Amino acid sequence: MKTSMKYIAAAGLTLCGSISMPAAAAWLKAGEQLNVNQSLASHDGRYTAVMQGDGNFVVYRLSDGVAIWNTQTGGSGATHAVMQGDGNFVLYTADNRAIWWTGTTADAGLANEFTVDDVGRAVVMAYAPVWVTNTVTPGGAPAAEPLVFQYGFQFQRGVVYNGPNGNQWIFQTDGNLVLYHNGKPVWASNVTRANGGPALYAVFEGHLTTWNDSGYVWQGTSNQSYPAGFTYQSNESPPVLHADSALFNIQADGNAAIWVAARKWGASTYDPPASNVPPATGPHCIGDPTAPSCTGSGSEYNWTFPW
């Protein structure tokens, strides 16, 4: 994922077309490195990872300067930390001796990235496509940045979201969600009039769903799975990236796809999530109604419906 992507944030934007804004997070991408005294801000800006002059690589909590985690390589002579193209995150000395590494590999042609997530955990992660419309443009298409919608984005009726190469995403007034290529429909949810009631389409935790007062109307997960050969550390403990945990892309190749952040490696110590999560604000919850976030315990992912 690149910071030059066109992002549409999780707030209920109703603008037609794309919005250009930088990604909120700081990632160390394949081939990039941190040298002595260089640092990388966490996804939410509350932590920083520093390649120290003493050879130690440390994640600090900025509010009080407490060290959350470190590689315990002080005095080793390490001078730079590299996110390698092979997927491994490695500390090297000035003469390129490897001192410490995560042992991670890149899978299925997907690049690994290093970041510090929203609980101060150092992670090597990769975005993996878990759902796709299978609408690649015949004959190929020019390379271009995708139009990206963050986790929690709510599609508005009648708004045209313009992606690259003539690809358009529309939540139609008849309740159908349609992907167009140069004015021709190439994929649709085939849900019209939302089963007799108003509906809200949302991107939620790797799921594209339609909801109304009766609950689920449609959930586009018929081919939801990780690519063949893709490995991850734990599906139960993915990186805590909030709105960037799952991204919905209108891609240059003609596909619309959901990409989920998967953890390839994570540090052993980190800040626990805040326990004082505010209560739910309404009777509706976007997502699995049996999940803890939808059963009254409260969650930042609860929204009231707009009608």
Side-chain angles (χ1 to χ4, degrees), residues 51-115:
M51 183 67 246
Q52 297 187 165
D54 64 358
N56 208 6
F57 186 83
V58 187
V59 174
Y60 290 98
R61 186 170 55 217
L62 293 176
S63 62
D64 55 11
V66 168
I68 301 298
W69 171 84
N70 71 95
T71 56
Q72 300 181 10
T73 52
S76 65
T79 59
H80 53 291
V82 183
M83 184 66 253
Q84 297 183 165
D86 63 3
N88 206 6
F89 181 69
V90 187
L91 302 189
Y92 286 100
T93 61
D95 58 356
N96 287 323
R97 287 185 296 112
I99 297 297
W100 181 94
W101 54 90
T102 57
T104 46
T105 58
D107 297 312
L110 303 173
N112 287 357
E113 301 169 345
F114 175 86
T115 192

Side-chain angles (χ1 to χ4, degrees), residues 110 127-136 149 155 169 177-179 186-190 201-210 218-228 246-251 253-261:
L110 303 173
Y127 278 104
V130 298
W131 184 89
V132 64
T133 54
N134 293 315
T135 51
V136 171
F149 303 89
F155 296 105
W169 188 252
L177 194 63
V178 184
L179 175 64
V186 294
W187 178 92
S189 63
N190 294 318
Y201 275 97
V203 181
F204 181 82
E205 289 187 337
H207 300 274
L208 183 64
T209 61
T210 315
W218 175 83
Q219 185 174 9
T221 57
S222 58
N223 62 341
Q224 186 178 26
S225 61
Y226 286 108
L247 303 174
F248 179 69
N249 294 0
I250 308 302
Q251 301 179 171
D253 65 1
N255 267 329
I258 292 176
W259 295 72
V260 170

Side-chain angles (χ1 to χ4, degrees), residues 24-293:
W27 283 276
L28 199 65
K29 299 178 180 6
E32 297 180 342
Q33 69 182 52
L34 292 179
N35 298 318
V36 169
N37 295 328
Q38 289 185 327
S39 61
L40 182 78
S42 69
H43 179 269
D44 63 0
R46 296 191 301 127
Y47 305 90
T48 187
V50 183
M51 183 67 246
Q52 297 187 165
D54 64 358
N56 208 6
F57 186 83
V58 187
V59 174
Y60 290 98
R61 186 170 55 217
L62 293 176
S63 62
D64 55 11
V66 168
I68 301 298
W69 171 84
N70 71 95
T71 56
Q72 300 181 10
T73 52
S76 65
T79 59
H80 53 291
V82 183
M83 184 66 253
Q84 297 183 165
D86 63 3
N88 206 6
F89 181 69
V90 187
L91 302 189
Y92 286 100
T93 61
D95 58 356
N96 287 323
R97 287 185 296 112
I99 297 297
W100 181 94
W101 54 90
T102 57
T104 46
T105 58
D107 297 312
L110 303 173
N112 287 357
E113 301 169 345
F114 175 86
T115 192
V116 178
D117 72 8
D118 292 354
V119 293
R121 177 168 46 202
V123 295
V124 174
M125 54 155 286
Y127 278 104
V130 298
W131 184 89
V132 64
T133 54
N134 293 315
T135 51
V136 171
T137 303
E145 295 291 352
L147 177 63
V148 181
F149 303 89
Q150 291 175 300
Y151 167 23
F153 186 85
Q154 303 175 31
F155 296 105
Q156 306 298 314
R157 279 183 185 269
V159 175
V160 178
Y161 301 95
N162 292 306
N165 297 333
N167 297 309
Q168 294 180 316
W169 188 252
I170 307 174
F171 177 19
Q172 298 182 162
T173 55
D174 65 359
N176 206 3
L177 194 63
V178 184
L179 175 64
Y180 288 88
H181 178 67
N182 291 330
K184 178 183 177 181
V186 294
W187 178 92
S189 63
N190 294 318
V191 177
T192 58
R193 300 192 181 279
N195 288 9
L200 171 69
Y201 275 97
V203 181
F204 181 82
E205 289 187 337
H207 300 274
L208 183 64
T209 61
T210 315
W211 274 72
N212 66 12
D213 283 321
S214 299
Y216 277 125
V217 174
W218 175 83
Q219 185 174 9
T221 57
S222 58
N223 62 341
Q224 186 178 26
S225 61
Y226 286 108
F230 182 76
T231 58
Y232 49 92
Q233 187 178 61
S234 173
N235 195 37
E236 299 302 319
S237 302
V240 183
L241 302 176
H242 295 290
D244 287 324
S245 295
L247 303 174
F248 179 69
N249 294 0
I250 308 302
Q251 301 179 171
D253 65 1
N255 267 329
I258 292 176
W259 295 72
V260 170
R263 196 177 80 190
K264 310 287 286 185
W265 170 89
S268 56
T269 57
Y270 52 94
D271 263 356
S275 59
N276 57 339
V277 178
T281 56
H284 300 289
C285 179
I286 306 302
D288 181 355
T290 64
S293 62

